[in-house]
Amino acid sequence: MRPSFVTLSIAAAVAALPGTPLGYERALLKRALEQRTDGNSSTASCLGDVAETATAPYTNVWAQISAEDNRAVWDFVHDPALGLNLTDPEEATQTDNYVYFIDTVPVNKTDVLAYKAGGPPPPKYARVILFQGGKADPDSQEYMVGPLPVSTTTTIQPLDYLYNGGQGGRVPFNARVFDGPRSAATEPLIAETMSSIADITAALFQGSVYYGSEDERTNLSATSGTPQSFDGTQSFRSILFRLPGVASYLTPIDFYLLIDCTGTDSSLYFLKGFVTKERFFETEVELRAAFDAGELVQDYQQTLDADWALVNHKDDMGQRDLEDRFAPSSIELGGKRYKVDPEAQYIEYMGFTFYLSFSRTTGISIHDVKYKGDTVLFELSLQEALAQYGGNQPKAANTVYHDTYYSLGTDMGTLLEGYDCPFGSTFWNVSYHEANTTVTNTDSICIFEHDMNFPLARHRTGGGSSDYGFANLGVVKGAALTVRAIATIGNYDYMFDYSFHLDGSIEVAVRASGYLQSSPYYANQTSWGPRIHDATMGSLHDHIINYKADFDIVGVNNSLQVSELVVANVTQPWFPELGTFEQMKMNVSYKAEEEQFDWAPNNQAMYVVLNKNETNKWDQPRGYRIVPGRSDIHLSIANSPWSRDNAAFVKSHLAVTQQHDNEPFSNSIQNVNLPWAPQQDFAEFFDGESVDDTDLVVWFNLGMHHFTRAEDVPVTLYSEAYASIVFAPQNFNDQAQDGDLLNRRWIVPNKTATGEYVLEFENYGVPLPTCAVQFSEPVLGIEVDVTT
Ligand SMILES: *[C@@H]1O[C@H](CO)[C@@H](O)[C@H](O)[C@H]1NC(C)=O
Ligand SMILES: *[C@@H]1O[C@H](CO)[C@@H](O)[C@H](O)[C@H]1NC(C)=O
Ligand SMILES: *[C@@H]1O[C@H](CO)[C@@H](O)[C@H](O)[C@H]1NC(C)=O
Ligand SMILES: *[C@@H]1O[C@H](CO)[C@@H](O)[C@H](O)[C@H]1NC(C)=O
Ligand SMILES: *[C@@H]1O[C@H](CO)[C@@H](O)[C@H](O)[C@H]1NC(C)=O
Ligand SMILES: *[C@@H]1O[C@H](CO)[C@@H](O)[C@H](O)[C@H]1NC(C)=O
Ligand SMILES: *[C@@H]1O[C@H](CO)[C@@H](O)[C@H](O)[C@H]1NC(C)=O
Ligand SMILES: *[C@@H]1O[C@H](CO)[C@@H](O)[C@H](O)[C@H]1NC(C)=O
Ligand SMILES: *[C@@H]1O[C@H](CO)[C@@H](O)[C@H](O)[C@H]1NC(C)=O
Ligand SMILES: *[C@@H]1O[C@H](CO)[C@@H](O)[C@H](O)[C@H]1NC(C)=O
Ligand SMILES: *[C@@H]1O[C@H](CO)[C@@H](O)[C@H](O)[C@H]1NC(C)=O
Ligand SMILES: *[C@@H]1O[C@H](CO)[C@@H](O)[C@H](O)[C@H]1NC(C)=O
Ligand SMILES: [Cu+2]
């Protein structure tokens, strides 16, 4: 498409409104028009400007290790003298030792606080995951290499202290990530088995055959989810076949292959059986007998052309009236009102200051959030995006995703200006290390201030002896700054938003779009979702997105106050006729110990993280309330074998723990294949420690119970698959923090000498802007290898 240019003129829009100023709304508009000419209107383009530069007060200590450090660490671990016996991952098989990835060891809070108090910068360490299939007892082991930069004092040691499962950073081979080499090792068995029954699959599924993923005749694709082990002593794949193509997630066929792939010797792998039509066949002989008896004829056939599953315009759906016009867009008309330090990934906005960091496993995190100079949060970060499915078939039943297992951060991709984020947003890259190179995903974080489309505050005081029927009207504009990234993890596009509001509140939101992981359609599986296409069913599942909020309300030592609304029977002497009557009141208490807990029924409790020793002008402890938003849920199932002991973090709405340097994460990235013997067990965090007047961490879940529907085709919609939470000041200040905002109007009817009333508008020196907005068709960035 050719670039298109649109010029938008506020003045023209206002001038076009007809009528004389009779009612006060019209008077407002007339005045708005007049204000254009009497203020300091900007004539600059409203889009072209870049954010002004801020200077971060200190180094971003949460930043990843640099490309140079990554290369040096790569060389360090590959030094033959170290004896790790590493193979190039590009050429490795599962029986070799090789680097899985190099990332950054989370910096200890203790060291950060010491640094901020004038101490030395925290030491930097690389986190190196080695897959050691070449060892006698094959495994995956994490190491920490540092301090960096690599020098003669650099050492390598097991990175065990992050994990409480008993084996530290070690994961047995059978539970380690099922990467390319492991997948390749199972391919001969799959190809051999499926080739042998090619006549059956061809007859049942419109000629579909599987002779191996690389074979030219193959026109089925094989997929299996996680877990692929229960406790690391066994390994298996529950494989679902699909018609290949861009929308294969929506074109599954009713055929499953179950294999055992325990250990590193692929000659020992074996067939566990086949499933189709909800029947299990342990051997090919049994399958063939049923086939020959005509029992496997399929009731529904998958579509061969999957155009229906693409997110393009559907010509056959017609067109809506006026939909050929460009849709409304949020633009920063007055110029950018935030400052950034791109080097330090530091942002200043309307009293807020904070840092960003990025990791290949968890994406973006927020650090050291201050509001008007006082600390609110030490860290706000994604921990895990979990999804668990259900169905009377092996693939859905055997699917629990932990998306950090797929290095969720590396899936944060380029955002389309004007569509994914407003025109004029600030775009930042994300980078991560891949072997000895560093990959950059361009424009994968966007930062923008946007209209809330509702005022932050307003009041029209009635009465007043004027023709206008009111004494005064005050309205404050509503705006917020959002930091956004979208990670496309296989089928799903998770949108992560962190929004900073003018009143000091902070909102966390997550949305999901993208393809359902669907099932072949079974007419009698109505308990697991509806039919959504010819041969496709939407599979019921839960998404639970786990976050960490390390509050430091004006200092590290905080408490979690619970104000429960209770009903009390009271008597009041001035109402003798009532005798005893019910009233509601607050029962205020503090969480004493570490605990996992749920939102109170009917949301009849307020949770506030506060500092008992820091009070506002009214002697109230300063705090932030945890305000439930939309869809704050936990996992529906507590005792599933697929998520039994490795997912405690998604089994309550909320949790509070004492902060510890060795408990930075609720989950581990290889936990998904260890549901019965977790590497990291969040439940172990709750060992009776105090959370009263100490450094505490709140963990919370957002998510969706995904009741699938026809409207999930072609993709799930962000409008509905949406969850949020808000942290709002609770006596943190002496009053609402809108009094210092100039973006407001104060309107008072004033009696002139002739006895008429005119509306006097106060604009506090912020007149309406005039600007020409020139849009250009957005361009998509690319991934580049930075070989510095
Ligand atoms: C090094 O690893 C290879 C597999 O990659 C293995 O065959 C070899 O025995 C190992 N060498 C030593 C000394 O462990
Ligand atoms: C798959 O390929 C076979 C030939 O190998 C062909 O006969 C059949 O029509 C194809 N099926 C589909 C679904 O494309
Ligand atoms: C993002 O990466 C591209 C490609 O390396 C580079 O040209 C651009 O300047 C980077 N953007 C920022 C904001 O650093
Ligand atoms: C990265 O590693 C590969 C394989 O070990 C090597 O061939 C290449 O030269 C290395 N590149 C850099 C930039 O170090
Ligand atoms: C659906 O019907 C089939 C055939 O009667 C049966 O084998 C299967 O168990 C049924 N599934 C469910 C979930 O009821
Ligand atoms: C608050 O003050 C008390 C008494 O002075 C002290 O024991 C406690 O450690 C203080 N707590 C914090 C969070 O400063
Ligand atoms: C209040 O007293 C009434 C009458 O005794 C009783 O029915 C009711 O349950 C009481 N309510 C509460 C909250 O105790
Ligand atoms: C008030 O809360 C405390 C702590 O949760 C609880 O033990 C007590 O029973 C509650 N009292 C009422 C009247 O609900
Ligand atoms: C962080 O703290 C833990 C627990 O005290 C300690 O074992 C570890 O060595 C520290 N890590 C770094 C990088 O200093
Ligand atoms: C925080 O509380 C701990 C006890 O839980 C105390 O040792 C420490 O000194 C306190 N820190 C501050 C900054 O008040
Ligand atoms: C109200 O009108 C009077 C008379 O025109 C004028 O002197 C005064 O400044 C006006 N007040 C305001 C608040 O504009
Ligand atoms: C216009 O800007 C100047 C300089 O910034 C300022 O002194 C003046 O008050 C402004 N006028 C209005 C009407 O805002
Ligand atoms: Cu979903």
Side-chain angles (χ1 to χ4, degrees):
M1 205 195 252
R2 306 266 315 145
S4 60
F5 299 96
V6 182
T7 299
L8 179 148
S9 164
I10 295 284
V14 174
L17 282 153
T20 46
L22 298 174
Y24 81 94
E25 291 91 349
R26 286 187 183 168
L28 291 176
L29 285 170
K30 179 172 181 294
R31 184 66 192 184
L33 181 57
E34 287 165 8
Q35 282 174 330
R36 277 192 49 243
T37 50
D38 64 8
N40 290 339
S41 3
S42 151
T43 50
S45 159
C46 300
L47 276 184
D49 60 344
V50 296
E52 283 177 47
T53 305
T55 305
Y58 57 89
T59 307
N60 186 333
V61 291
W62 303 277
Q64 286 184 96
I65 64 166
S66 66
E68 294 76 12
D69 282 341
N70 176 63
R71 270 217 335 275
V73 169
W74 174 272
D75 292 343
F76 178 86
V77 297
H78 283 83
D79 183 348
L82 208 58
L84 290 170
N85 188 20
L86 300 182
T87 302
D88 181 349
E90 297 278 321
E91 271 136 42
T93 69
Q94 64 175 5
T95 52
D96 294 320
N97 304 328
Y98 57 96
V99 173
Y100 177 47
F101 67 63
I102 300 175
D103 199 11
T104 307
V105 174
V107 61
N108 279 337
K109 182 172 182 178
T110 308
D111 294 337
V112 175
L113 295 180
Y115 165 63
K116 290 180 70 181
K124 279 291 205 204
Y125 286 85
R127 166 190 190 187
V128 183
I129 300 187
L130 295 187
F131 285 168
Q132 307 181 128
K135 282 177 39 179
D137 185 8
D139 63 9
S140 158
Q141 174 66 50
E142 293 200 32
Y143 293 92
M144 60 193 282
V145 175
L148 301 178
V150 171
S151 71
T152 51
T153 61
T154 297
T155 62
I156 178 166
Q157 50 194 302
L159 178 53
D160 291 333
Y161 71 86
L162 298 177
Y163 307 104
N164 62 20
Q167 296 199 56
R170 180 182 183 276
V171 170
F173 173 84
N174 288 315
R176 88 160 202 224
V177 171
F178 213 94
D179 61 345
R182 284 196 71 188
S183 194
T186 61
E187 190 56 24
L189 173 64
I190 300 167
E192 182 198 323
T193 311
M194 292 300 288
S195 299
S196 173
I197 57 160
D199 61 317
I200 299 179
T201 58
L204 298 179
F205 304 103
Q206 308 174 84
S208 299
V209 288
Y210 190 91
Y211 290 102
S213 61
E214 301 296 317
D215 193 291
E216 280 183 357
R217 295 164 296 173
T218 292
N219 51 15
L220 279 175
S221 77
T223 182
S224 58
T226 48
Q228 290 170 317
S229 181
F230 293 118
D231 59 8
T233 63
Q234 72 292 91
S235 188
F236 48 79
R237 294 185 74 181
S238 300
I239 297 162
L240 162 73
F241 288 93
R242 307 186 294 212
L243 299 192
V246 287
S248 63
Y249 282 103
L250 289 181
T251 56
I253 62 163
D254 182 22
F255 199 82
Y256 307 85
L257 172 67
L258 280 63
I259 63 168
D260 185 287
C261 47
T262 302
T264 52
D265 182 354
S266 57
S267 71
L268 302 176
Y269 296 173
F270 61 90
L271 171 73
K272 290 168 68 182
F274 307 92
V275 175
T276 184
K277 300 198 83 173
E278 296 171 279
R279 290 176 62 184
F280 180 53
F281 305 97
E282 275 190 54
T283 63
E284 183 186 327
V285 174
E286 288 172 32
L287 178 76
R288 195 167 284 286
F291 171 69
D292 289 342
E295 294 164 14
L296 303 185
V297 176
Q298 299 289 305
D299 298 327
Y300 309 95
Q301 287 296 348
Q302 198 46 265
T303 57
L304 299 178
D305 172 358
D307 276 0
W308 56 274
L310 302 181
V311 190
N312 55 6
H313 181 255
K314 298 287 171 262
D315 294 343
D316 60 355
M317 288 177 74
Q319 190 183 306
R320 302 187 205 188
D321 193 23
L322 305 183
E323 224 288 310
D324 54 348
R325 298 183 179 176
F326 196 78
S329 295
S330 180
I331 45 178
E332 294 164 315
L333 283 171
K336 290 205 167 32
R337 308 196 317 153
Y338 55 91
K339 295 181 181 176
V340 296
D341 182 340
E343 201 62 34
Q345 303 254 298
Y346 168 78
I347 299 171
E348 290 180 359
Y349 170 67
M350 294 289 143
F352 278 110
T353 60
F354 57 93
Y355 291 79
L356 290 189
S357 74
F358 174 82
S359 111
R360 65 173 289 139
T361 55
T362 56
I364 52 177
S365 300
I366 314 273
H367 304 273
D368 197 9
V369 180
K370 291 184 176 162
Y371 183 62
K372 297 192 172 182
D374 290 324
T375 309
V376 177
L377 287 154
F378 180 78
E379 178 186 336
L380 176 57
S381 56
L382 178 76
Q383 296 295 304
E384 190 55 84
L386 178 147
Q388 178 157 14
Y389 292 71
N392 188 36
Q393 44 103 326
K395 175 61 168 38
N398 179 181
T399 297
V400 181
Y401 292 124
H402 294 194
D403 283 340
T404 63
Y405 172 91
Y406 300 98
S407 287
L408 172 157
T410 65
D411 295 328
M412 289 184 162
T414 302
L415 299 161
L416 190 63
E417 183 177 4
Y419 297 82
D420 286 326
C421 318
F423 286 106
S425 298
T426 297
F427 290 91
W428 283 354
N429 298 335
V430 303
S431 291
Y432 56 92
H433 309 304
E434 204 68 84
N436 56 359
T437 67
T438 297
V439 179
T440 296
N441 295 356
T442 55
D443 298 349
S444 298
I445 295 173
C446 66
I447 302 156
F448 54 92
E449 189 188 13
H450 52 98
D451 190 353
M452 297 300 293
N453 294 312
F454 58 84
L456 174 62
R458 73 101 69 184
H459 185 63
R460 181 167 65 113
T461 304
S465 49
S466 78
D467 300 343
Y468 293 97
F470 67 95
N472 58 60
L473 169 62
V475 188
V476 187
K477 257 184 101 54
L481 183 90
T482 294
V483 177
R484 170 174 295 167
I486 301 180
T488 305
I489 310 130
N491 53 326
Y492 259 138
D493 298 59
Y494 279 115
M495 178 192 293
F496 301 101
D497 278 3
Y498 299 90
S499 298
F500 298 83
H501 293 254
L502 297 168
D503 64 351
S505 61
I506 299 160
E507 184 172 7
V508 183
V510 61
R511 289 177 167 81
S513 190
Y515 289 126
L516 285 180
Q517 176 181 299
S518 62
S519 294
Y521 172 56
Y522 304 94
N524 64 349
Q525 286 200 20
T526 51
S527 307
W528 282 289
R531 183 184 195 178
I532 57 170
H533 214 269
D534 288 1
T536 308
M537 186 180 119
S539 277
L540 180 70
H541 58 279
D542 273 357
H543 300 264
I544 312 291
I545 323 296
N546 184 246
Y547 291 87
K548 171 187 182 185
D550 181 349
F551 285 93
D552 278 0
I553 305 289
V554 207
V556 295
N557 282 346
N558 294 166
S559 303
L560 180 54
Q561 185 195 55
V562 184
S563 301
E564 191 192 355
L565 292 179
V566 294
V567 179
N569 265 326
V570 299
T571 55
Q572 293 183 343
W574 41 87
F575 294 134
E577 69 276 23
L578 294 182
T580 296
F581 66 96
E582 286 189 345
Q583 270 214 130
M584 65 175 181
K585 63 176 189 181
M586 286 192 293
N587 179 21
V588 180
S589 62
Y590 289 88
K591 292 281 187 203
E593 284 182 4
E594 296 178 314
E595 190 185 333
Q596 287 194 262
F597 59 102
D598 287 341
W599 297 106
N602 197 34
N603 279 332
Q604 238 170 273
M606 171 173 73
Y607 300 96
V608 179
V609 179
L610 53 74
N611 189 323
K612 286 181 172 173
N613 284 16
E614 293 288 336
T615 52
N616 69 2
K617 188 176 172 187
W618 318 112
D619 278 336
Q620 304 299 307
R622 302 178 66 187
Y624 261 70
R625 178 180 171 194
I626 305 167
V627 188
R630 173 157 156 154
S631 200
D632 298 341
I633 59 169
H634 60 65
L635 192 68
S636 303
I637 179 167
N639 297 310
S640 159
W642 313 102
S643 57
R644 201 178 69 199
D645 300 324
N646 63 346
F649 55 92
V650 292
K651 293 182 183 175
S652 66
H653 293 146
L654 297 158
V656 59
T657 63
Q658 201 176 97
Q659 191 281 331
H660 291 298
D661 286 342
N662 62 356
E663 292 179 354
F665 302 123
S666 61
N667 198 24
S668 71
I669 67 125
Q670 295 197 74
N671 225 17
V672 74
N673 291 328
L674 289 164
W676 300 355
Q679 178 184 33
Q680 175 78 341
D681 181 4
F682 184 65
E684 299 258 317
F685 284 21
F686 304 89
D687 51 0
E689 288 177 313
S690 165
V691 292
D692 194 17
D693 209 359
T694 187
D695 191 3
L696 60 81
V697 177
V698 172
W699 311 80
F700 64 94
N701 285 311
L702 305 183
M704 311 106 199
H705 298 299
H706 200 151
F707 299 98
T708 57
R709 55 176 183 164
E711 287 84 356
D712 284 312
V713 173
V715 293
T716 294
L717 304 174
Y718 280 140
S719 52
E720 194 269 339
Y722 162 40
S724 67
I725 196 170
V726 173
F727 305 135
Q730 183 76 17
N731 302 318
F732 188 80
N733 310 292
D734 299 336
Q735 65 174 82
Q737 296 302 292
D738 64 327
D740 55 354
L741 297 174
L742 297 172
N743 272 263
R744 68 202 303 144
R745 290 296 184 264
W746 174 246
I747 302 155
V748 183
N750 188 19
K751 199 172 191 174
T752 62
T754 60
E756 283 178 79
Y757 285 90
V758 296
L759 290 181
E760 299 292 347
F761 277 64
E762 179 58 71
N763 72 5
Y764 302 100
V766 186
L768 301 185
T770 30
C771 57
V773 182
Q774 192 175 53
F775 295 101
S776 53
E777 196 64 35
V779 283
L780 264 187
I782 44 154
E783 276 192 13
V784 290
D785 286 1
V786 181
T787 40
T788 41

